[in-house]
Amino acid sequence: MRQLRTYWLDAVAIVACLLVFVVPFAFIVLTASKSAEEAKEWELSLPEEWRFWSNLREVLSFDDGLVMLAMRNSFILTICSVALIVVFGAMVGFTLDRRRDRVASVASGMIMMGLIIPPAVVPTIYTLQQLQLFKTLPGLILVEVAFGLPYAIILFRAFSATIPRELDEAAMIDGCSGFRLFFKVIFPLLRPVIITVIITSSITIYNDFTNPLYFLPGRDNATAQLTLFNFRSQFISQWNLLFMDALIITIPPLIMFLFFNRKIVDGMAGAVKG
Amino acid sequence: MQHLRKAYPRSFYVPAGLVYLVIFFVPTGLAFYYAFTRWTLFESQWIGLDNFRQFFREEALLKSLRNTLVYAVITSGSKVVIGMGLAVLVTSRIRLKGTVRAMIFFPVIVSTVAVGLTFSVLMHPTDGLYNRVLAAVGVDGPHWLTDVNLAIFSVALVDIWKGLGLAMVIYIAGIMSIPRDLYEAVAVDGGGWWQQFRYITLPLSQPATFTVILFSFVGGLRSFELIWTMTGGGPGFASDVIASTIYKQYQAGFYGLATAGNVILFVLVTALVVPMTRYFARREIRR
């Protein structure tokens, strides 16, 4: 009897989760597979005729392959930003842990500010303009790096504390420079936290909508998220294509999720705890 | 000291520091000047407190200030309560753990634009799935996003839906770190499920609670993407928050006013979050 009751509870939990969390995604996939005529109805139903591949082709070829161009932009943006965040962030995080002096505590205060203070939009545009970086991909990369660094540094600093100092001393006695010590000895040991930073920052930056909206406007510069936002006004009554685009841009994080489910969950849970 | 200088050179701060200072710190500082000007990006004219006066006089802008606070409080409060509830449920029922956790967590990593688009369709007053289901059981569904009084709450609901998974996994990590024998001790003393929750789980997951409150409250005050993709601040300006007002003023070319919005948001976030972190840090040290 007791056994039966716990099964009941499990069943209720699963069904509730399906309704609340899976239905919206099912809606995206089903609508993306319908004809324009049928997709307009906004029903949660199987398509009368599956048009998945032809819809996919149509979205990808729309406006001279804008979606592919945007995906490329998004990948370049994500990869470059994450690479810089990892290297720069690890250098600062490690050094902050080892040198606990006044400079380090001032730096820690500035990092905390970066975590809570919303960036001032127009002055940032103005600054980028002065540097000739406004509306350029390198400009947006620097923006993502600046906004993503504080969180990465905190993770790197916390992890560096677990690496014994005896290791540094041994390397120094062997005649390593500070530079060699960090890149040859320490950096490889940071591997677990590097993976965490790569996964969490790449999802954040790939999904970012606000910063590309402000700092990288223009058709040729569109990122994946911006195409979806802009298509809403272009694909009027072509909901199948709109949701197909939503599906396409969700695939990279989905793949990450399938492969690194545990790592993402642990990383994010640990990350925000700092 | 000699040893420190050689092993851990300060030059390691330079690359990160340079990007951070130029792209984040300098603009933040500039904001405190340009917020007091009429600004075209090429020239600026000092107008004192006019931008701020306008902000606090115009009904639309004042509304966005109220909405920001309401939105942050509702979303962070709900994520704490529901996130903890789900974590307790998932950690107590091993059979479900993986599947349920994955389902609830997935929205966290999906783009806000895609989520916003999907829910603005699902929440359509007449043709949306939700109101059709409600109509089928004879209920006249609410006008989620088109009702002036409801819109901001509907967006908040989707925000909670999307962020719940993160709150839940933070609580799961917190609950898993509580030693098992504490629960056994309560059970030996005849304490049931409620006593275990009330006297063990609730107090000992306090660090997780602080984390969830902090990150979701800060996120709530700064939120823009979901509101912008679901309602665009509408109907009218009923669901505008400070961040969406900043974007509207920027689009209209009122750069000084937009920057004043940024300064107000800065002051609001600092005034609320800094005392909060201080209080949490004190509580954690005392324990």
Side-chain angles (χ1 to χ4, degrees):
Chain A
M1 195 52 209
R2 211 188 139 73
Q3 189 71 10
L4 198 67
R5 233 183 59 201
T6 67
Y7 272 118
W8 250 105
L9 257 168
D10 289 358
V12 169
I14 294 267
V15 170
C17 269
L18 281 173
L19 282 179
V20 176
F21 288 96
V22 180
V23 162
F25 294 110
F27 184 80
I28 296 178
V29 177
L30 291 172
T31 308
S33 312
K34 290 175 176 174
S35 65
E37 203 52 25
E38 210 186 336
K40 214 164 52 194
E41 299 300 315
W42 290 351
E43 276 175 359
L44 184 72
S45 58
L46 291 178
E48 279 165 27
E49 184 192 354
W50 286 82
R51 297 261 187 116
F52 187 89
W53 297 111
S54 64
N55 286 345
L56 179 65
R57 268 198 305 277
E58 199 168 337
V59 171
L60 291 182
S61 60
F62 175 77
D63 197 0
D64 288 334
L66 181 60
V67 173
M68 292 309 284
L69 178 71
M71 284 300 245
R72 218 194 74 198
N73 287 340
S74 279
F75 280 134
I76 296 174
L77 169 70
T78 307
I79 292 168
C80 295
S81 310
V82 171
L84 292 177
I85 287 175
V86 166
V87 177
F88 292 180
M91 287 165 72
V92 175
F94 173 71
T95 314
L96 280 182
D97 173 67
R98 293 309 200 240
R99 308 179 70 116
R100 305 196 175 173
D101 50 9
R102 263 235 313 279
V103 178
S105 66
V106 170
S108 301
M110 285 170 59
I111 292 163
M112 279 313 290
M113 285 176 70
L115 283 180
I116 59 170
I117 293 171
V121 181
V122 189
T124 309
I125 291 176
Y126 175 74
T127 308
L128 289 172
Q129 254 178 5
Q130 301 300 308
L131 299 168
Q132 317 264 318
L133 288 171
F134 182 50
K135 297 188 186 179
T136 69
L137 201 50
L140 183 60
I141 290 171
L142 290 182
V143 167
E144 299 288 1
V145 172
F147 299 170
L149 269 173
Y151 140 88
I153 290 174
I154 285 181
L155 284 189
F156 280 119
R157 187 181 54 189
F159 193 86
S160 297
T162 67
I163 298 175
R165 277 167 184 259
E166 285 76 31
L167 213 64
D168 312 0
E169 277 152 27
M172 293 306 285
I173 289 166
D174 286 348
C176 269
S177 63
F179 197 80
R180 267 183 69 100
L181 163 71
F182 178 75
F183 283 100
K184 293 278 174 202
V185 182
I186 303 297
F187 198 73
L189 293 175
L190 294 173
R191 203 183 126 95
V193 68
I194 289 175
I195 295 176
T196 305
V197 171
I198 289 178
I199 293 172
T200 46
S201 338
S202 62
I203 291 176
T204 312
I205 294 171
Y206 174 82
N207 281 339
D208 186 16
F209 167 66
T210 311
N211 293 316
L213 181 73
Y214 276 120
F215 306 121
L216 196 63
R219 178 201 177 270
D220 292 337
N221 288 327
T223 63
Q225 308 302 326
L226 280 179
T227 60
L228 184 58
F229 185 72
N230 294 335
F231 283 174
R232 282 181 82 170
S233 46
Q234 290 168 22
F235 285 170
I236 302 163
S237 77
Q238 283 180 296
W239 295 92
N240 52 344
L241 301 187
L242 194 58
F243 279 95
M244 179 54 85
D245 191 37
L247 189 61
I248 293 171
I249 68 169
T250 307
I251 287 171
L254 176 69
I255 292 173
M256 284 275 229
F257 185 69
L258 292 178
F259 281 98
F260 303 111
N261 179 355
R262 267 227 78 95
K263 269 243 84 90
I264 295 175
V265 168
D266 293 349
M268 289 210 171
V272 270
K273 265 191 303 191
Chain B
M1 231 28 241
Q2 182 65 35
H3 153 81
L4 262 184
R5 206 174 302 151
K6 245 188 95 191
Y8 317 117
R10 283 219 175 100
S11 57
F12 273 27
Y13 294 145
V14 172
L18 209 61
V19 177
Y20 191 61
L21 284 180
V22 173
I23 307 290
F24 177 72
F25 246 76
V26 168
T28 304
L30 287 178
F32 281 86
Y33 170 76
Y34 286 110
F36 299 93
T37 64
R38 190 175 292 122
W39 189 22
T40 62
L41 281 178
F42 298 103
E43 50 183 13
S44 61
Q45 184 196 349
W46 183 268
I47 52 167
L49 287 170
D50 277 7
N51 287 329
F52 294 92
R53 273 198 210 102
Q54 193 177 347
F55 222 102
F56 289 105
R57 212 168 359 175
E58 251 181 60
E59 180 55 29
L61 304 182
L62 213 50
K63 174 92 182 167
S64 75
L65 205 64
R66 273 201 303 271
N67 276 343
T68 306
L69 285 170
V70 169
Y71 189 88
V73 169
I74 290 181
T75 50
S76 58
S78 311
K79 283 174 196 172
V80 166
V81 176
I82 308 174
M84 183 193 266
L86 286 172
V88 170
L89 182 86
V90 166
T91 47
S92 66
R93 316 192 73 78
I94 308 300
R95 234 176 305 155
L96 296 177
K97 214 164 121 191
T99 333
V100 169
R101 201 184 58 176
M103 280 198 271
I104 299 175
F105 189 78
F106 185 60
V108 174
I109 62 159
V110 174
S111 87
T112 310
V113 185
V115 168
L117 164 74
T118 309
F119 276 93
S120 59
V121 168
L122 294 176
M123 285 179 162
H124 189 274
T126 51
D127 303 335
L129 186 66
Y130 293 150
N131 278 1
R132 272 200 235 169
V133 171
L134 288 176
V137 294
V139 178
D140 198 9
H143 288 204
W144 304 95
L145 300 170
T146 46
D147 182 329
V148 177
N149 297 314
L150 198 61
I152 187 79
F153 297 100
S154 303
V155 181
L157 194 66
V158 179
D159 189 311
I160 297 163
W161 176 87
K162 188 176 186 314
L164 207 51
L166 188 53
M168 177 190 70
V169 297
I170 292 167
Y171 271 114
I172 291 178
I175 290 173
M176 297 295 244
S177 67
I178 300 173
R180 290 290 104 187
D181 41 351
L182 290 178
Y183 290 101
E184 279 154 32
V186 174
V188 168
D189 289 344
W193 175 88
W194 172 248
Q195 274 81 10
Q196 292 187 350
F197 175 75
R198 174 69 187 79
Y199 296 105
I200 308 289
T201 313
L202 196 58
L204 290 183
S205 58
Q206 206 186 45
T209 304
F210 291 164
T211 309
V212 174
I213 292 181
L214 265 185
F215 91 79
S216 54
F217 193 69
V218 172
L221 290 175
R222 294 168 60 159
S223 68
F224 166 71
E225 302 194 348
L226 201 57
I227 291 164
W228 195 248
T229 48
M230 287 184 72
T231 65
F237 46 84
S239 62
D240 260 327
V241 289
I242 298 179
S244 65
T245 309
I246 293 172
Y247 185 67
K248 284 181 177 174
Q249 303 303 339
Y250 161 72
Q251 272 187 317
F254 298 128
Y255 299 133
L257 192 58
T259 307
N262 256 126
V263 168
I264 291 172
L265 189 55
F266 175 104
V267 171
L268 191 70
V269 172
T270 318
L272 293 174
V273 175
V274 170
M276 216 152 137
T277 17
R278 289 256 168 82
Y279 171 77
F280 288 166
R282 256 208 327 272
R283 288 290 294 269
E284 295 223 13
I285 291 165
R286 209 182 295 155
R287 281 179 347 107

